[in-house]
Amino acid sequence: MKKSLKKTLFAGVAALSFVAVAGVSSTNASAKSYAKVTSNKALTTDATTRNVTFNGTNALYTKAGTLKGAKVVATTTTTKALANAQTGKANLRAYRVATTNRGSVYYKVVSFDKQYRGWIYGGKSASAFAGGVASYATTKDATAPASDATFKLNSTSTTANTTLFKAPSWTQYKVGRAVVDGKTLTSTDAYKDAVLTFNKAVTTSREGDTWYQVASVNGSTTNGLVGAWVKASDVNQLNAQPTATSDNSVKVVYRLADGTVVGNSATWIAKDGTTGTGAGKLVNPATGSAPVNTAGASLAAFAANNVPTNYALNTTPVDASSAQYGNTLYVTVKSAATSKVQFRLSATPSNASGTTIPDGASLVNGLSNGDVISKSDIELPSLSADAIKDLTGSKDTPLVLQTFNAAIAPKTINGTKTYYDTKGNAYHYVFTTGNAQSNFYYPGDLVTVPVTAELTAGAPTATPTPNTWAN
């Protein structure tokens, strides 16, 4: 009997042991191992370099997808649809980056219309966008209208501004309507009769819309609207050229002294109603004034104004005395170069009125006399085509920067970078430009514009303004 009881007890203990082991095994099998974040920081590079797009391979989460509690914000089906969307509202801005203990990188992104915000897998390196997102150019360069082409807005409003923007609509995050004299433009009525010219054009990558950047307003390159953008379909050209025929036009071809043709040709077309036109007839008659095109430019002036990039006239003025309608005018040019511009502090920065750094605190990495200001840290002014032309010329001829200086200085330019003191208070700089030195630089040299700076309390409200003429 004792032997039987002993066997029974042993069997019971063995059974309990099996159940206990099975229970532990079951618990371990169901436990999930989650990743942990080892780094989470804001992205501080130029905001315009952080425009990205989904590629549809990964979902968007409330936190890194491998963290405990991560919830789906947008499925891969949705992110793929957004990647293929034909509206700039689907463009994304990346603004934080996190790394997990598994070596995975996640980016926090927000759609330009703010409808989607969350974290998405970004590969294994924080040095470049990868994984579920990729860098994305929200615009592509397009051909701008001729510098002498003039336009008017198709329509204006006394109560709204749906036409003039600081950047083409939905191409930069939180960049909206044009700002004139420091104020957001809420009405376009003031520009109902304005004559505009443009010096830059882009096409939006998703919609395919063409936008023009304002170069002058009623002939002024310092008007507050200069630099604003308008959709090409919202303006109407005032001086559209007539169709070129052998009776009213001359083809202009540019070539080097050895006869090598360079750049693109251009076609000058006489204004409708011009007398004395006809194939084979001289454009410039022996008597009377030279005929002009619809923009008011003679053939010689037109040829001088359309010299290809990186070339300059070999001799000036252009000789068009023997040009005939229906024929070609050959213009001799020589190699040239275009200078870039840098902004350099010419004095130790001062503090703006009312700006003081608290006792016991100091500014971290503030600017000093001689520092060069990065173009991503400054709200660059827009320049007219004539001002930019001052930066181009034959490599053996000094630059005369008269038009450039008149456009660039003196100007107050807002900084776009935030500086902090050791107590965490935010500041930014406000710059004042001076004149670059004429007859000192040669085409291709880096032209220096001197600036002074005032440290101003508060984070900047300005954003970087992309320009091709700055370094």
Side-chain angles (χ1 to χ4, degrees):
M1 181 174 177
K2 288 182 179 179
K3 189 174 182 180
S4 176
L5 179 60
K6 188 175 182 180
K7 286 182 179 180
T8 303
L9 289 172
F10 178 80
V13 170
L16 287 172
S17 298
F18 176 78
V19 171
V21 171
V24 170
S25 299
S26 176
T27 301
N28 288 342
S30 63
K32 186 174 183 180
S33 176
Y34 293 100
K36 294 182 179 179
V37 171
T38 57
S39 172
N40 184 335
K41 57 186 178 181
L43 293 170
T44 57
T45 54
D46 182 353
T48 60
T49 67
R50 294 187 272 109
N51 293 332
V52 294
T53 183
F54 292 129
N55 58 31
T57 61
N58 296 82
L60 185 69
Y61 292 88
T62 54
K63 59 178 74 176
T66 52
L67 297 182
K68 185 177 182 179
K71 297 180 181 179
V72 174
V73 174
T75 64
T76 53
T77 300
T78 300
T79 60
K80 187 173 183 178
L82 290 168
N84 296 321
Q86 301 300 303
T87 171
K89 294 179 181 181
N91 290 326
L92 306 169
R93 173 66 54 79
Y95 62 99
R96 294 194 72 85
V97 60
T99 304
T100 70
N101 59 340
R102 296 175 181 175
S104 295
V105 173
Y106 287 83
Y107 291 101
K108 192 169 189 181
V109 300
V110 59
S111 60
F112 280 17
D113 65 357
K114 303 180 184 179
Q115 294 302 301
Y116 296 90
R117 185 189 297 270
W119 293 86
I120 191 163
Y121 176 66
K124 293 292 186 179
S125 172
S127 62
F129 295 112
V133 288
S135 292
Y136 190 70
T138 58
T139 63
K140 301 173 184 177
D141 288 340
T143 301
S147 59
D148 55 6
T150 56
F151 298 80
K152 274 192 174 183
L153 296 175
N154 288 338
S155 62
T156 56
S157 170
T158 59
T159 58
N161 171 24
T162 59
T163 307
L164 298 165
F165 292 83
K166 191 172 183 179
S169 187
W170 301 110
T171 62
Q172 296 300 332
Y173 182 59
K174 294 177 70 175
V175 176
R177 292 172 293 181
V179 175
V180 177
D181 298 330
K183 297 181 180 179
T184 299
L185 191 65
T186 57
S187 165
T188 54
D189 187 59
Y191 301 100
K192 62 183 177 182
D193 296 317
V195 177
L196 309 174
T197 64
F198 305 113
N199 59 359
K200 188 176 181 181
V202 297
T203 301
T204 54
S205 298
R206 294 189 186 276
E207 299 91 344
D209 293 332
T210 298
W211 289 72
Y212 296 148
Q213 187 174 38
V214 176
S216 71
V217 180
N218 296 327
S220 169
T221 59
T222 59
N223 185 284
L225 191 65
V226 169
W229 291 83
V230 60
K231 194 184 298 185
S233 58
D234 287 332
V235 294
N236 179 51
Q237 187 171 352
L238 300 176
N239 57 344
Q241 293 277 37
T243 302
T245 68
S246 59
D247 289 323
N248 67 354
S249 67
V250 176
K251 184 179 181 180
V252 181
V253 174
Y254 300 91
R255 61 187 181 184
L256 302 176
D258 64 3
T260 302
V261 174
V262 297
N264 296 322
S265 61
T267 300
W268 177 87
I269 308 171
K271 184 178 180 180
D272 280 343
T274 299
T275 59
T277 59
K281 291 185 178 181
L282 285 174
V283 174
N284 295 313
T287 59
S289 58
V292 297
N293 62 9
T294 52
S298 67
L299 174 57
F302 175 84
N305 290 333
N306 286 278
V307 173
T309 302
N310 296 326
Y311 292 92
L313 292 173
N314 197 41
T315 58
T316 55
V318 172
D319 181 8
S321 60
S322 60
Q324 298 175 340
Y325 287 107
N327 289 338
T328 299
L329 172 65
Y330 290 96
V331 177
T332 304
V333 295
K334 55 188 175 182
S335 293
T338 299
S339 288
K340 292 287 189 178
V341 174
Q342 69 175 4
F343 296 86
R344 184 188 292 274
L345 282 177
S346 59
T348 300
S350 59
N351 287 358
S353 176
T355 296
T356 57
I357 297 176
D359 291 341
S362 60
L363 190 66
V364 179
N365 296 325
L367 297 176
S368 302
N369 184 16
D371 283 350
V372 173
I373 313 303
S374 170
K375 71 175 181 179
S376 64
D377 294 343
I378 196 169
E379 188 178 34
L380 295 172
S382 296
L383 296 183
S384 68
D386 286 340
I388 293 175
K389 191 180 294 183
D390 268 10
L391 300 170
T392 301
S394 173
K395 294 180 179 179
D396 57 1
T397 305
L399 294 174
V400 179
L401 301 173
Q402 182 175 358
T403 305
F404 172 79
N405 277 329
I408 201 70
K411 275 188 179 294
T412 298
I413 303 176
N414 294 311
T416 61
K417 181 178 179 180
T418 304
Y419 295 80
Y420 295 93
D421 64 27
T422 50
K423 291 188 175 181
N425 298 302
Y427 305 85
H428 67 282
Y429 286 100
V430 176
F431 303 94
T432 301
T433 58
N435 286 323
Q437 189 172 344
S438 279
N439 296 309
F440 178 79
Y441 301 99
Y442 286 81
D445 290 347
L446 188 59
V447 173
T448 297
V449 172
V451 297
T452 57
E454 282 191 336
L455 184 68
T456 305
T461 57
T463 55
T465 309
N467 276 275
T468 58
W469 52 267
N471 185 42

